[in-house]
Amino acid sequence: MKRPSFSTQLVVLWALVAALCAVLVAIVGFMAISAESQQIAGARQQVTAACEAVASRYSLSRPLSAATGNTDLMHAVLDIVLAQEQNVEGGFWTSGPVALAVPHGATQSRDSEAAVNAPPTGFLAYAFPTYQGSGIKRDIPEAETPLILRTLRTAAATHTAAADVIRSGPDAVVAAACTVKDEPALFAWMLTRARPPLGPHGELLVTGLAAILAVILVVAVALAVTLRRWKRNLNLLESGLSLESSVEPAGQLPRLHEPELDRIVDALNRYANRAEQLRQQTADLSDKLARAERFSVLGKLAAQVAHEIRNPAGAMRLKAENALAGDSERQQGALRFILEQIGRIETQVASLLALTQPVTVKPQKVNVAGWLASVVESHRELARQRGIRLMLVTKLEALAEAPTPALPEFDPEQLRRALDNLLLNALRHVGEAGMVTVTAQRDWSAGRPHLRIAVSDNGPGVPADQRERIFEPFVTGRPDGSGLGLAVVREVASAHGGRAWLDGKLAGACFVIEIPWQPSS
């Protein structure tokens, strides 16, 4: 029987290689299509869950007011919730006329100005906290606006959560909309983009690829045996395999007792050993990265715990040390103070555990002068220890414009939590012999009385590149800061129907909390 010619053998071998490559491409395509649908389903579930979380948190945190659209509270809720959702953006939308809750001083805030100029129907608020660009992203994406509106109108028509998808090549844009409890005309919406990876069939794909590559390797060895007469080409192939090669053999190949082929086998085995070493190094680096990420999370939590309880613990220690040198009456007073601070620490620890929960306001009538004196006094020891003057100024005279109730109504524990954060920030940033001033006053604006509390210092102030983002989660000017203190301040103020901002007109830093004197009925 006549043997096929060398050229025929070569054509057959390469035809087999081409067929195997075609099978490989078909498998990859099938896996990509399957992964796309499952990735879209995961993205749909993610944005639906984020939408319901935003709607629920806004419903629980909105102020006790007849107004429906509190844009400052909307932005606060969006920033807090979406900071934990990578690549998810969203906002609020209304399907009918809405009475916007515009805090006093709207001309001083771009978000409040947008609320004033907002149309009676349409988009009310928007946020994208994990956006990688510079500055705060507040512009709604134009290309996806038709998809967003279509989803919102479906939710408005059915009064249930709705989701929609637009596919563009391998990518897909997923939008979800849901209703806000007790506000039939107000809806939350979320948007994300799905880029499918290998998906859950990745293991099957890898197994198929490994089998195909093994067959390709066998074919390559057979082709090498057929071409052994071409010694110079074999030497070039050996040289290429010794440096870099896309072929990755599995395990150690046996020697074939053929000088030319044995050199190729040795080169392949050396490459396999080198690839195994690289894989081991990659695994070690992945473990180190995972440990570093865990330590980073623990570091942020430790910084937040220290931020919330270090001051009362230090005050208790100073009181105890002073009481040891005093009489029994002084010791009794110190013990009462320590018990009070322990209760405060317990409250703060509970607040830390509930950091991701909505702020629930329980308003009551409060004697502002006495309450403020108690708050400032709890920071007096720390200020004295650092050589800082801590002053309290109250301007709570009756307003001439209109009759005002003698006592305001707010949640003293929640507002104290916010004020403690501002005082601790000021005491940490102002230098020795500096001064921190707490000013409380009552004024009349936007047709109703307000309580305004300002914490100012003569320190270096807030850097210009951080002023616009200073109230966002995880934005901090200190290496040991958690970046959550001012985010909590803003959410507490918004939950009371007010707002918090940085007054950039004064030297140093001046943070202001402004809330209605009494909640709207």
Side-chain angles (χ1 to χ4, degrees):
M1 182 177 179
K2 185 177 178 181
R3 292 183 59 188
S5 64
F6 174 79
S7 60
T8 302
Q9 296 179 32
L10 186 61
V11 169
V12 172
L13 288 174
W14 281 111
L16 180 59
V17 172
L20 291 174
C21 291
V23 173
L24 175 62
V25 171
I27 292 176
V28 172
F30 171 76
M31 294 301 178
I33 294 173
S34 175
E36 179 184 7
S37 61
Q38 298 197 14
Q39 190 72 6
I40 291 175
R44 182 194 297 263
Q45 182 178 5
Q46 179 188 14
V47 294
T48 302
C51 184
E52 293 175 352
V54 168
S56 175
R57 190 176 188 118
Y58 175 80
S59 178
L60 293 174
S61 301
R62 71 177 185 272
L64 303 176
S65 172
T68 301
N70 187 333
T71 56
D72 280 351
L73 178 56
M74 290 176 184
H75 283 122
V77 170
L78 289 169
D79 287 343
I80 290 291
V81 175
L82 297 187
Q84 310 299 324
E85 299 286 345
Q86 286 294 326
N87 300 322
V88 176
E89 57 192 300
F92 286 87
W93 179 85
T94 178
S95 62
V98 60
L100 297 178
V102 182
H104 167 57
T107 56
Q108 302 177 21
S109 167
R110 287 184 296 177
D111 294 341
S112 298
E113 182 179 355
V116 172
N117 298 326
T121 61
F123 295 101
L124 299 179
Y126 170 79
F128 195 171
T130 58
Y131 178 65
Q132 299 299 320
S134 59
I136 304 175
K137 191 175 189 304
R138 295 298 192 199
D139 52 320
I140 299 173
E142 295 182 1
E144 289 78 20
T145 299
L147 171 64
I148 297 169
L149 290 174
R150 185 168 68 243
T151 308
L152 285 166
R153 287 165 183 156
T154 301
T158 60
H159 296 287
T160 58
D164 203 351
V165 180
I166 288 182
R167 290 178 174 84
S168 177
D171 297 339
V173 180
V174 185
C178 55
T179 60
V180 176
K181 183 180 179 182
D182 298 329
E183 297 196 29
L186 187 61
F187 298 84
W189 63 271
M190 296 293 129
L191 184 75
T192 190
R193 290 161 180 79
R195 297 176 176 85
L198 291 179
H201 300 288
E203 183 177 353
L204 178 62
L205 176 61
V206 171
T207 303
L209 290 176
I212 293 175
L213 289 176
V215 175
I216 292 177
L217 178 62
V218 173
V219 172
V221 172
L223 182 61
V225 171
T226 304
L227 298 177
R228 65 181 182 272
R229 291 172 297 177
W230 293 7
K231 185 175 182 179
R232 188 179 66 174
N233 293 339
L234 287 175
N235 290 336
L236 294 176
L237 179 60
E238 176 195 2
S239 182
L241 290 173
S242 297
L243 297 176
E244 294 182 359
S245 174
S246 60
V247 181
E248 185 174 343
Q252 297 291 312
L253 296 177
R255 295 175 65 86
L256 301 177
H257 307 292
E258 183 71 32
E260 292 83 3
L261 294 179
D262 283 344
R263 289 197 297 270
I264 296 176
V265 168
D266 291 340
L268 289 173
N269 288 335
R270 288 195 297 271
Y271 173 78
N273 292 333
R274 186 166 64 252
E276 182 62 28
Q277 293 175 359
L278 292 175
R279 281 193 294 268
Q280 186 62 40
Q281 292 176 4
T282 302
D284 293 342
L285 290 175
S286 298
D287 292 340
K288 291 179 180 179
L289 179 60
R291 288 196 295 270
E293 290 177 349
R294 289 194 294 270
F295 282 132
S296 175
V297 173
L298 290 176
K300 287 184 178 180
L301 179 59
Q304 181 65 20
V305 172
H307 182 78
E308 292 288 343
I309 70 175
R310 180 170 52 190
N311 184 59
M316 286 190 294
R317 179 176 180 178
L318 289 175
K319 280 287 185 181
E321 290 175 350
N322 293 335
L324 290 176
D327 53 19
S328 60
E329 181 179 354
R330 189 174 182 180
Q331 291 174 355
Q332 289 294 326
L335 288 175
R336 285 192 294 270
F337 178 82
I338 290 173
L339 288 175
E340 178 184 349
Q341 295 303 309
I342 289 175
R344 182 178 165 212
I345 289 176
E346 290 177 348
T347 301
Q348 291 172 340
V349 171
S351 298
L352 284 176
L353 295 176
L355 185 61
T356 59
Q357 299 300 318
V359 175
T360 302
V361 176
K362 299 178 180 178
Q364 62 187 67
K365 292 184 181 297
V366 179
N367 184 333
V368 179
W371 174 78
L372 275 175
S374 173
V375 175
V376 173
E377 187 62 27
S378 66
H379 296 269
R380 187 78 65 185
E381 292 290 346
L382 178 61
R384 185 180 299 110
Q385 183 181 7
R386 297 189 176 185
I388 300 172
R389 293 178 58 196
L390 181 57
M391 299 179 59
L392 173 61
V393 179
T394 57
K395 303 176 182 179
L396 303 174
E397 299 81 5
L399 296 172
E401 290 83 350
T404 306
L407 296 178
E409 289 187 23
F410 57 86
D411 189 326
E413 292 300 325
Q414 293 288 359
L415 201 59
R416 177 169 188 156
R417 179 185 177 194
L419 190 54
D420 281 341
N421 279 322
L422 294 181
L423 280 169
L424 288 174
N425 279 342
L427 292 174
R428 287 192 180 102
H429 285 89
V430 71
E432 186 176 355
M435 183 171 65
V436 176
T437 304
V438 179
T439 305
Q441 66 184 54
R442 180 170 53 184
D443 62 1
W444 184 272
S445 59
R448 62 188 303 191
H450 285 78
L451 171 64
R452 178 180 296 183
I453 302 175
V455 178
S456 59
D457 61 67
N458 60 352
V462 180
D465 59 345
Q466 295 182 7
R467 291 178 182 174
E468 291 188 357
R469 303 177 60 244
I470 193 66
F471 285 96
E472 293 183 17
F474 306 115
V475 175
T476 178
R478 296 184 293 110
D480 59 341
S482 65
L484 293 174
L486 291 179
V488 170
V489 170
R490 182 178 66 171
E491 187 170 9
V492 169
S494 295
H496 279 82
R499 67 189 186 105
W501 75 89
L502 171 64
D503 190 345
K505 299 178 182 179
L506 303 176
C510 179
F511 289 91
V512 182
I513 299 176
E514 184 180 76
I515 62 173
W517 190 259
Q518 287 195 332
S520 298
S521 58

